Amino acid sequence: MNRPASRTAATRPARLRHLPLCALLGISLNASADGSIGIDPYAPGQGFDRPGEAAWGGWNRCDGGTLFAEWDIFDDASHGAADDRTAAPGGAAEQVAACGVTSAWLGWSTDAANPAFAYNNGNYLYNLSNGGQGGTTSLRINAAGPLRPGLTRVVLQFETRSYPIMPDSLRLNGLKPTLVANTLERDTTINGRPARLFHQLAIWNLGAAPPTLLFDFATEAHTVLQMVALDAGPLNSGSTDDPGQAPVPASWLINLPGEALPPALIQSLHAQRPGWFPAEWRPSQLTYRQSVNKAGTRLGRRLKGSIKALFHDPAEGPATNRVFLDIYRKDPIADIRIAECELKTTQKRRWTRVNIDNRLVRLGTARYALDLELTEIPATSASRFKRRIGQCDIDLDAEGIQAGVPALREGDYTRLRRAEP
């Protein structure tokens, strides 16, 4: 098998040994992408965007509180040891390969029989061994920098040949992307040889700015990784409330979906035991209220509501009675999950025997409730629960449960899910 065509030596830049001082200090300089394979990925309609011009953006590269790093050159000697398969940001014809970062590197590895190689002085990564047998390549990006606190959007853009990045492999700090999309797929010719080109976009909408961004992703056999661009910045369409200011007093309703059950199961349960199981599992509404005292020194939030849903007998199998309400904030690119609330089972009615798929099982119902009321004192960051039925995690990027009442806005909506066994 022929190796992929390389970029020409005439367009090859000097290797980047260290992050430039302007990158560490966040100094803004214009940058242009490498078009030596015949395509400028940032040209109109070619699939790549800078955040200042992208629908997903709203900031400029090298603005304070943002992060940018780009790999168009994968130079093994530019980071760590000369042969440890890691590379600092570097790009052909780029004046700045990174800014706003205190550290950044991209690494690659496969098993011993199928290693990935940085070919042609790092112009691309190709996971094909010398024996001609390709293998899956695991890649990681590690980047850190002082991102602005609050809702954050993190974006990766990829240029590959032969195959795209494996979408199911993408993770940021263990989280799946909010959105993955192909922005360009076409046949082209590179150095006189036919090639299939892919541009991809992956977006994470985060409830808080993480101190370190750890990305994991993979390519299948014979994939050529040509370019990766990383951008992170504030999500202006959903910026967090200023904790020093009281929220506007408000009260409104937010949806609380009913449990999604197959229609045939609903009909069967109701036909067998109409007093136990309804003919329709109706949705309900959560009431959200927020208030502030006249002095502006105490803020109050309350979130209250309940629905009826199935209550399983744990002895009957792996089904779980943990029911969660995910709260989303609308966004033009990909809606943000801003909180995860677990409802508490109340008014349990257990159990009755019903026939499901020709098997008698014990099944019941329960009222799943959420009633949280919290008082906050912004000047001291103190808070106190006055009511606590169920719980909400309001910082999904932090380990554990960061309990509280989410600061909702009109237009926020919810999705109900039952925890996996």
Side-chain angles (χ1 to χ4, degrees):
M1 178 179 289
N2 293 329
R3 294 178 179 176
S6 65
R7 301 180 189 228
T8 61
T11 60
R12 190 180 305 154
R15 295 183 182 179
L16 186 65
R17 297 289 184 237
H18 303 284
L19 290 179
L21 180 62
C22 55
L24 299 178
L25 298 180
I27 298 174
S28 177
L29 294 175
N30 292 327
S32 58
D34 176 21
S36 63
I37 65 170
I39 295 173
D40 177 359
Y42 289 106
Q46 297 304 307
F48 270 56
D49 287 303
R50 296 179 176 89
E53 59 202 29
W56 50 259
W59 68 90
N60 293 311
R61 283 178 176 167
C62 301
D63 283 350
T66 70
L67 185 153
F68 162 65
E70 187 168 286
W71 288 264
D72 204 7
I73 294 292
F74 305 91
D75 180 3
D76 203 346
S78 65
H79 176 270
D83 58 354
D84 65 355
R85 296 182 182 176
T86 64
E94 293 282 320
Q95 296 179 30
V96 174
C99 57
V101 298
T102 54
S103 66
W105 54 268
L106 182 148
W108 59 96
S109 64
T110 57
D111 61 64
N114 299 298
F117 294 97
Y119 279 113
N120 192 23
N121 293 321
N123 271 299
Y124 49 82
L125 289 178
Y126 187 33
N127 56 339
L128 178 71
S129 71
N130 289 331
Q133 299 298 316
T136 299
T137 297
S138 300
L139 299 106
R140 164 162 284 203
I141 293 174
N142 184 310
L147 288 168
R148 195 181 86 180
L151 294 178
T152 301
R153 173 163 286 157
V154 181
V155 177
L156 284 180
Q157 297 178 90
F158 300 98
E159 181 179 85
T160 60
R161 282 186 272 157
S162 300
Y163 303 100
I165 298 293
M166 299 167 69
D168 291 342
S169 70
L170 283 159
R171 295 292 186 275
L172 165 57
N173 296 343
L175 299 174
K176 294 181 180 180
T178 309
L179 171 71
V180 180
N182 281 7
T183 56
L184 179 73
E185 180 179 346
R186 77 180 210 190
D187 291 317
T188 187
T189 300
I190 300 174
N191 290 347
R193 299 178 183 178
R196 187 72 170 171
L197 189 69
F198 296 87
H199 288 171
Q200 285 172 282
L201 172 72
I203 294 175
W204 287 262
N205 287 335
L206 306 178
T212 303
L213 304 174
L214 298 175
F215 298 91
D216 293 286
F217 56 100
T219 60
E220 61 182 286
H222 313 303
T223 301
V224 180
L225 180 61
Q226 197 81 54
M227 181 175 171
V228 182
L230 162 62
D231 286 282
L235 188 50
N236 294 324
S237 62
S239 59
T240 56
D241 294 330
D242 183 346
Q245 296 181 4
V248 177
S251 176
W252 63 84
L253 300 174
I254 184 172
N255 69 308
L256 177 51
E259 183 167 27
L261 298 175
L265 177 61
I266 294 175
Q267 295 173 10
S268 174
L269 292 176
H270 180 68
Q272 294 179 66
R273 297 299 299 269
W276 281 67
F277 305 104
E280 180 182 0
W281 295 88
R282 296 179 180 275
S284 184
Q285 289 180 315
L286 291 168
T287 301
Y288 176 73
R289 292 186 176 91
Q290 59 182 27
S291 60
V292 58
N293 64 359
K294 292 182 178 180
T297 57
R298 289 182 181 271
L299 314 180
R301 292 193 181 100
R302 188 177 184 187
L303 187 61
K304 178 183 178 182
S306 66
I307 57 165
K308 186 176 183 179
L310 290 180
F311 189 72
H312 297 273
D313 181 359
E316 294 289 348
T320 174
N321 290 317
R322 298 186 66 190
V323 171
F324 290 87
L325 195 70
D326 294 320
I327 303 179
Y328 287 84
R329 180 152 297 157
K330 292 183 178 179
D331 183 81
I333 303 300
D335 293 353
I336 316 151
R337 190 167 69 113
I338 63 170
E340 175 187 275
C341 302
E342 183 171 3
L343 284 66
K344 183 178 180 180
T345 53
T346 65
Q347 301 178 22
K348 302 171 188 174
R349 191 173 187 183
R350 52 182 180 180
W351 318 95
T352 185
R353 288 196 174 275
V354 291
N355 186 316
I356 298 179
D357 296 330
N358 296 320
R359 187 171 70 93
L360 284 178
V361 299
R362 297 207 308 171
L363 197 62
T365 61
R367 179 67 57 178
Y368 289 81
L370 185 67
D371 190 355
L372 298 173
E373 186 173 5
L374 186 72
T375 297
E376 301 177 9
I377 307 174
T380 62
S381 299
S383 62
R384 181 174 64 88
F385 276 104
K386 298 175 67 176
R387 292 181 180 84
R388 195 168 185 174
I389 299 175
Q391 66 179 2
C392 288
D393 184 357
I394 60 173
D395 187 353
L396 300 178
D397 298 316
E399 293 291 335
I401 303 297
Q402 314 302 309
V405 179
L408 301 185
R409 300 177 181 173
E410 292 189 78
D412 293 349
Y413 65 93
T414 67
R415 292 174 182 163
L416 193 74
R417 62 181 170 88
R418 193 175 285 268
E420 297 179 2

